[in-house]
Amino acid sequence: MKFISFFKGWSFERYFRLGLAILMGIYAINTKEYSILIITAWLGGLALFNISCCGTRGCSTVPSETKENKENDINIKYEEIKNGNSKI
């Protein structure tokens, strides 16, 4: 039962990486291409430890409100310029 609870909070990406690692591992063993097992171990480790290429939750950022962002909030009004020579 503890094994099943390990997979509860997983996202699609984690399942995809684990499935890809398993399929690549089976392929590497069947074809005796053992160099592919390095990539398989890497993908499996990414899935099992929930890390991505840039670390755990390294790609998500929180936007910060700085003084510069507040100063650049300017309301711009636009006027339509009509050409009197053109016939529409």
Side-chain angles (χ1 to χ4, degrees):
M1 196 67 181
K2 192 174 187 180
F3 182 72
I4 295 172
S5 65
F6 178 70
F7 294 102
K8 280 193 176 185
W10 282 34
S11 63
F12 172 74
E13 290 84 10
R14 281 183 83 178
Y15 284 119
F16 181 74
R17 284 189 296 229
L18 184 64
L20 193 61
I22 291 170
L23 289 176
M24 285 178 64
I26 292 170
Y27 173 77
I29 292 171
N30 285 340
T31 59
K32 295 182 176 45
E33 292 286 336
Y34 298 113
S35 61
I36 296 177
L37 285 176
I38 296 170
I39 299 169
T40 302
W42 179 66
L43 283 173
L46 289 178
L48 290 175
F49 298 120
N50 195 22
I51 52 177
S52 63
C53 298
C54 50
T56 56
R57 301 198 193 271
C59 296
S60 62
T61 59
V62 178
S64 61
E65 290 192 26
T66 60
K67 187 176 180 182
E68 294 173 3
N69 290 344
K70 290 180 182 177
E71 289 177 0
N72 291 335
D73 249 355
I74 300 172
N75 292 333
I76 300 173
K77 294 182 182 181
Y78 296 98
E79 289 183 25
E80 185 176 346
I81 300 174
K82 296 182 180 180
N83 187 355
N85 297 331
S86 66
K87 295 181 183 179
I88 297 178

